Amino acid sequence: MPPRALARAAYNVHSTTPPSHCSFCSSQEHSAPLQSSMLALRDRCNAGRRSTLVRWSAVEQLDASSEPPRQAAVLAANIRKHRQQRGWSARYVAERCVAAGMASLTRSTLAKIESGVRDFVTVDEAAALANVFGMTPGELLGEHPQDSGKVTGADLDARTTGRETAVPHRAQGVVQTGDRAQAFVADTVALGWPSAVPAPAGGLAGLPKPPVRSFVGRDEQLAELDHLLAAGAETVVQARAVHGLGGVGKSELALQFAHARRADFPVVWWVIANHPEAIESGLAELTFRLHPDARVAATEEQAASWAVGWLQSHPGWLLVLDNVEHRGDVEPLLADLSGGHVLITTRRDVGWEDITDGSLRLEVLGSAAAVTLLQRLSGQHDAASAEVLATELGCLPLALEQAGAYLRETRTGMAAYLQRLRQDPARMLAAVPVDSNAERAVARVWTITLAQIAARNPTAVTVLNVLSCLAPDDLPRDVLTPLATSATDLDQALGLLASYSMVTLTSSTVTMHRLVQASIRAELQAAPEDTTDTFLEEALRQAGQLLSRAAPHSNPQTTVEDWPRWAILSPHVTALATHYATSSDIELANLLGNTAVFESTQGRFLRALDHQRRALAIIEATLGPDHAVTALGLDNLASTLADLGRADEAEPLQRRALAIGEAGLGPDHPQVATGLDNLAITLNDLGMAQDAEPLQRRALAITEAALGSTHPQVAIRLNNLALSLRNLGRIAEAEPLQRRALAITEVALSPDHPDVATWLDNLAITLNDLGMAQDAEPLQQRALAITEAALGPYHPHTATRLNNLALSLRDRGREVDAESLHRRALAITETVLDLNHPDTAARLSSLTPIPRGQGAAMKAQPLHRRVLAVTTAMMWSRDTPQSSQEAVT
């Protein structure tokens, strides 16, 4: 486009005053020449500037050479262009405008301007936007071909003082800056740029299930959704929220809309959004559908980030965020998205208008629609009885659905159902707010359903009670086997529950909705007449016993083949512990302790820490502070703290555990040896290797005497003693101990066990320090292969193997190969550990370039050895059974 003849200043600004007057206050005293900028005019004007509007539908032509009046889309396009060139989000631009005193330019307002929903801006707003972009208002309002190219890093530095560009040196592609900056780094995850992956030619619809056919009374709401989401979303996201009471049908409304309109969007994707992990998982699944290779090329977190990038670079999609529990869980995602539509469902009414473009409150069904739904579902056509029953049920869709299922299953008449419902109001009303008619109705329906189930199959009621104490996740059906006299009886009980829609049943698992669980737990709060325990406490006890019996009885740290079982049971253990207010159940403490060991093997140290604290509290309260099991709980808690880099907190716990063990078990007990060894490892972490060595020699002697010289625990003692010797500079003494540890473990466990990988890696590091790097690399390659096969490519121990192999390669001058391994190790560590964890700092330090020139390698060696010490001091031994965790027995 050729340059405009029109001066780029205040002359694109429309005012009701003649051009010779001030564009801000209509005064002729300080009217400006055509080339003056709006910023200059604003500085000279003292009158009511904020009321002056730039309304693009009425722009005056100021001279014969100017082009026809420009519409709102021109301003929208220019703002959008300059924002995207800089990689800025709408939120970031709005924050800078507000910081500059322009409070009216919120993210929502800016989105409306960019989308054309708002067809005007005030002069102050135009000036503030221009100032944020580092240009004159005329440049912002005009079209400059020279500004249309890509913004360079220097441009960004000049225009965003104090902001860092979040992109590595060698990265290419879209760069975002600001507090929520993101960059996709090919060195870490080879997924390619999201913008390069098109939407599937036939469209993509990822919906959780088909919509129900008995869907009535929501035509008005569907039309409103259609209207709310009808606005174009080429550059800004159109977000809407549907909120209302639990069970009112928010998810079904969203499902009906998404299914009916799926042909209008290139991608329709459904994400369960009840917590951040679920959101991340749902976005990752979108990546896996669009880019199948991502399942092996990226972590779930990386895949979710890639999905956000894909949504940013492709317009017109529909994303459903279902069952959002906390507004803060989705605010960051909404800030990052652009160019599509987001539909949120939530029970919470927490000011969704502040972060979306509108919300829809979904009420219960109208009476006529409720009667129609109840008649269809029940197969009964008594309209008068249906109207009374629907009113009693509060016209809540979930209640109507369950009542209809009951009526159809039992062939009970509506009048009889209504009579039973009215005969039992007290208990239901106690579980819900008295002034919430709809919620009261839901409780009534479930109680009546439970009574009918109890009359037909008491075992089914027991199953319901137990399931209400567990997680709303898949539970293996075999866990429930002890509740029934036979497998057939259990199948019949589960089938009955499924027929009332009380559970979701597959051939191998059973799941209960969280709303049903909450209602049943509320019912269980009452205490039987002959005991002080509530029904809920009894259900919790039963659930704990079932999980304890179902859990593997081997050490979770050493028995890798049991990990799949632990993976499916661990969420239920967590939920069970959450529902316990207090407990003195040692069996629960054992279960929590063993689950914590499993969580540690998976790198989930914070979750393990919660379990260990809870287990220790139960043990101390039940057995006393000086019991041997209390010592074991203290030691396990301390080891988890050490895994988190908190060795200073671990030491006093370990010293107390050791004192208890020696006093209660005697100085030569194997548990005392474990306590000595773990304390010594912590002392090494604290730089006190000279104090650690005598403790470890004593631990080794106790273990050999008690268990024999070829027991796997002897290998652990040998390895940990070797670590102390290395830290003391006695590397040559460490090598034979490590070779012996490796030989014992390969025979006692297996050549492919994760502990073998640990000993291989440790021996290789020692060989490197002895100048035998050529012998070290094959050991480390084998260690890496074993660890990846046993633990997966994104486990903290895999990062340790990668980092140690990279250090060996650097010592041999293979810097390029080493850097790629270091980067992968860093990515894993940042994903699964805390950002302040010592391992994270070590990985970062490992990426420090090796100095070049004469004598440079020698100067760099102390740095590399320091990195090695920080990285491996915790992981060498804390990779292993007794030095990291020990199963609670």
Side-chain angles (χ1 to χ4, degrees):
M1 180 184 296
R4 297 178 182 273
L6 181 63
R8 293 179 177 88
Y11 301 98
N12 289 332
V13 181
H14 170 69
S15 174
T16 58
T17 60
S20 61
H21 290 63
C22 174
S23 297
F24 294 96
C25 66
S26 304
S27 171
Q28 296 185 14
E29 296 179 0
H30 51 266
S31 59
L34 295 183
Q35 65 272 20
S36 298
S37 71
M38 286 202 302
L39 287 176
L41 284 173
R42 185 177 67 170
D43 290 341
R44 297 171 60 187
C45 174
N46 298 314
R49 298 170 296 180
R50 201 169 296 275
S51 62
T52 305
L53 304 181
V54 182
R55 188 171 292 280
W56 307 108
S57 58
V59 176
E60 297 181 7
Q61 285 186 270
L62 301 180
D63 59 48
S65 64
S66 64
E67 295 184 354
R70 300 167 62 206
Q71 300 301 313
V74 176
L75 175 64
N78 286 343
I79 293 175
R80 186 164 57 247
K81 177 185 72 174
H82 291 300
R83 178 172 63 79
Q84 292 178 342
Q85 283 176 346
R86 291 157 175 79
W88 294 349
S89 67
R91 168 172 286 191
Y92 175 61
V93 173
E95 287 175 350
R96 293 193 62 177
C97 289
V98 172
M102 190 52 55
S104 64
L105 284 177
T106 62
R107 187 202 70 82
S108 177
T109 300
L110 190 61
K112 291 175 181 177
I113 293 172
E114 289 194 9
S115 64
V117 173
R118 185 174 186 236
D119 65 348
F120 67 90
V121 296
T122 68
V123 170
D124 274 8
E125 288 172 345
L129 284 166
N131 189 40
V132 166
F133 289 123
M135 58 178 62
T136 67
E139 289 174 324
L140 176 64
L141 305 181
E143 295 182 356
H144 291 247
Q146 64 269 29
D147 288 342
S148 62
K150 184 177 180 179
V151 179
T152 66
D155 294 331
L156 287 174
D157 289 341
R159 295 179 179 180
T160 59
T161 304
R163 296 274 174 176
E164 294 183 357
T165 303
V167 64
H169 285 301
R170 298 185 298 149
Q172 298 179 352
V174 177
V175 177
Q176 287 184 281
T177 63
D179 293 335
R180 289 190 51 75
Q182 297 182 29
F184 296 92
V185 185
D187 286 337
T188 301
V189 183
L191 294 181
W193 297 107
S195 58
V197 177
L204 173 61
L207 300 177
K209 62 179 182 178
V212 298
R213 296 186 178 183
S214 298
F215 187 74
V216 297
R218 298 301 194 194
D219 292 344
E220 182 179 341
Q221 288 79 12
L222 284 172
E224 187 171 353
L225 272 187
D226 196 71
H227 173 72
L228 289 174
L229 293 174
E234 291 298 311
T235 58
V236 295
V237 67
Q238 298 287 325
R240 309 290 173 175
V242 178
H243 61 87
L245 184 67
V248 80
K250 303 175 295 295
S251 298
E252 185 62 37
L253 178 69
L255 182 61
Q256 294 280 345
F257 174 82
H259 185 268
R261 292 285 306 276
R262 64 191 186 280
D264 298 332
F265 303 97
V267 169
V268 176
W269 196 252
W270 191 283
V271 172
I272 303 298
N274 55 345
H275 55 83
E277 293 80 6
I279 296 173
E280 179 176 278
S281 178
L283 290 172
E285 283 299 322
L286 174 58
T287 293
F288 300 151
R289 288 287 294 275
L290 292 168
H291 194 332
D293 290 344
R295 288 191 183 274
V296 295
T299 65
E300 185 169 87
E301 181 182 10
Q302 291 164 342
S305 295
W306 191 94
V308 173
W310 191 93
L311 295 172
Q312 288 173 333
S313 56
H314 295 78
W317 39 264
L318 172 64
L319 178 66
V320 180
L321 300 176
D322 183 43
N323 196 27
V324 175
E325 291 287 351
H326 301 288
R327 197 177 82 169
D329 292 345
V330 298
E331 283 189 85
L333 177 61
L334 293 179
D336 283 343
L337 294 177
S338 61
H341 302 82
V342 177
L343 181 56
I344 297 168
T345 71
T346 176
R347 303 179 200 173
R348 307 288 301 281
D349 184 4
V350 288
W352 290 102
E353 294 81 3
D354 295 339
I355 63 170
T356 68
D357 300 292
S359 65
L360 168 65
R361 179 175 179 82
L362 195 62
E363 304 291 352
V364 297
L365 288 173
S367 178
V371 169
T372 299
L373 180 60
L374 191 56
Q375 287 179 308
R376 289 183 183 178
L377 293 173
S378 67
Q380 302 180 28
H381 305 291
D382 182 353
S385 296
E387 182 176 0
V388 176
L389 179 55
T391 301
E392 192 75 8
L393 294 173
C395 297
L396 190 71
L398 182 59
L400 295 167
E401 178 184 347
Q402 291 184 332
Y406 174 90
L407 294 170
R408 181 178 288 274
E409 167 73 15
T410 64
R411 306 299 192 270
T412 300
M414 290 186 185
Y417 187 94
L418 177 62
Q419 182 180 9
R420 295 190 61 192
L421 186 64
R422 288 175 171 172
Q423 286 175 345
D424 189 21
R427 286 184 56 197
M428 285 78 76
L429 289 174
V432 296
V434 175
D435 59 349
S436 181
N437 292 330
E439 287 187 6
R440 182 175 67 240
V442 172
R444 290 184 180 187
V445 170
W446 285 332
T447 300
I448 294 299
T449 301
L450 288 171
Q452 182 64 21
I453 291 173
R456 294 180 60 180
N457 192 326
T459 300
V461 176
T462 303
V463 170
L464 278 176
N465 294 346
V466 167
L467 289 177
S468 74
C469 301
L470 303 178
D473 298 320
D474 290 345
L475 179 76
R477 291 170 61 159
D478 67 87
V479 174
L480 303 172
T481 299
L483 295 179
T485 56
S486 68
T488 300
D489 289 343
L490 179 61
D491 289 344
Q492 290 176 342
L494 291 173
L496 178 64
L497 295 176
S499 73
Y500 283 106
S501 302
M502 298 298 284
V503 299
T504 299
L505 198 61
T506 71
S507 61
S508 60
T509 63
V510 58
T511 311
M512 181 181 286
H513 190 277
R514 65 182 67 250
L515 188 60
V516 180
Q517 289 178 313
S519 177
I520 293 175
R521 287 196 303 274
E523 292 288 330
L524 294 175
Q525 290 289 355
E529 295 181 358
D530 58 345
T531 178
T532 57
D533 290 345
T534 65
F535 289 111
L536 178 59
E537 289 169 336
E538 176 60 27
L540 288 168
R541 255 193 308 272
Q542 282 185 298
Q545 290 169 358
L546 291 173
L547 290 177
S548 294
R549 292 169 185 167
H553 295 290
S554 57
N555 188 333
Q557 187 120 22
T558 58
T559 313
V560 176
E561 56 268 25
D562 286 338
W563 286 357
R565 181 70 166 182
W566 278 112
I568 198 169
L569 293 180
S570 61
H572 299 286
V573 176
T574 300
L576 178 67
T578 300
H579 298 317
Y580 262 113
T582 58
S583 176
S584 58
D585 188 350
I586 289 297
E587 192 170 29
L588 175 63
N590 293 342
L591 183 62
L592 286 169
N594 284 322
T595 304
V597 174
F598 168 73
E599 298 290 4
S600 291
T601 67
Q602 306 305 301
R604 296 189 286 263
F605 299 124
L606 288 174
R607 190 176 301 174
L609 183 64
D610 289 339
H611 291 332
Q612 295 287 18
R613 289 189 190 281
R614 188 70 184 272
L616 178 60
I618 295 172
I619 292 168
E620 281 196 284
T622 306
L623 301 179
D626 299 323
H627 196 279
V629 178
T630 301
L632 190 58
L634 287 165
D635 211 16
N636 286 346
L637 174 60
S639 293
T640 303
L641 288 169
D643 283 332
L644 288 165
R646 295 156 63 177
D648 55 331
E649 298 177 51
E651 183 191 358
L653 299 179
Q654 289 172 321
R655 290 192 182 279
R656 181 186 163 199
L658 181 59
I660 294 172
E662 287 183 310
L665 301 173
D668 298 325
H669 193 278
Q671 184 175 317
V672 172
T674 298
L676 288 165
D677 207 6
N678 285 347
L679 174 59
I681 295 164
T682 299
L683 294 176
N684 266 299
D685 290 344
L686 295 171
M688 303 165 63
Q690 71 281 359
D691 297 330
E693 182 188 356
L695 300 181
Q696 289 174 314
R697 291 195 180 278
R698 182 184 163 198
L700 175 60
I702 294 172
T703 305
E704 286 186 306
L707 304 176
S709 60
T710 59
H711 194 278
Q713 288 193 27
V714 172
I716 293 170
R717 306 290 177 257
L718 290 166
N719 176 79
N720 293 341
L721 175 58
L723 171 61
S724 293
L725 294 175
R726 283 181 45 81
N727 289 341
L728 291 169
R730 294 152 61 184
I731 301 174
E733 296 179 49
E735 181 191 358
L737 300 181
Q738 290 172 324
R739 290 192 182 277
R740 184 183 164 198
L742 176 61
I744 292 172
T745 307
E746 286 186 305
V747 173
L749 299 178
S750 76
D752 297 325
H753 194 278
D755 287 359
V756 171
T758 300
W759 309 154
L760 286 166
D761 204 10
N762 293 348
L763 176 59
I765 295 168
T766 298
L767 293 176
N768 264 311
D769 289 343
L770 292 173
M772 303 165 63
Q774 70 282 357
D775 297 328
E777 183 181 349
L779 301 182
Q780 289 178 307
Q781 293 284 5
R782 181 185 164 200
L784 176 60
I786 293 172
T787 303
E788 286 187 304
L791 306 180
Y794 308 112
H795 192 279
H797 297 178
T798 301
T800 298
R801 306 290 173 261
L802 288 164
N803 195 73
N804 291 343
L805 175 58
L807 290 171
S808 296
L809 295 177
R810 288 181 106 176
D811 286 345
R812 299 181 64 185
R814 295 164 58 182
E815 298 171 22
V816 175
D817 294 335
E819 182 179 354
S820 65
L821 297 179
H822 277 313
R823 290 192 179 279
R824 184 180 163 201
L826 175 62
I828 296 170
T829 303
E830 288 182 320
T831 299
V832 300
L833 298 179
D834 188 271
L835 292 178
N836 296 321
H837 194 281
D839 283 5
T840 304
R843 305 293 185 257
L844 289 168
S845 299
S846 297
L847 284 170
T848 304
I850 296 178
R852 299 180 181 277
Q854 186 174 8
M858 293 299 296
K859 295 178 182 178
Q861 188 172 5
L863 172 62
H864 298 151
R865 294 296 167 237
R866 180 184 174 195
V867 169
L868 177 62
V870 174
T871 304
T872 61
M874 291 169 53
M875 301 305 293
W876 277 16
S877 290
R878 302 201 186 282
D879 280 353
T880 64
Q882 271 61 46
S883 59
S884 175
Q885 305 288 330
E886 182 169 296
V888 180
T889 58

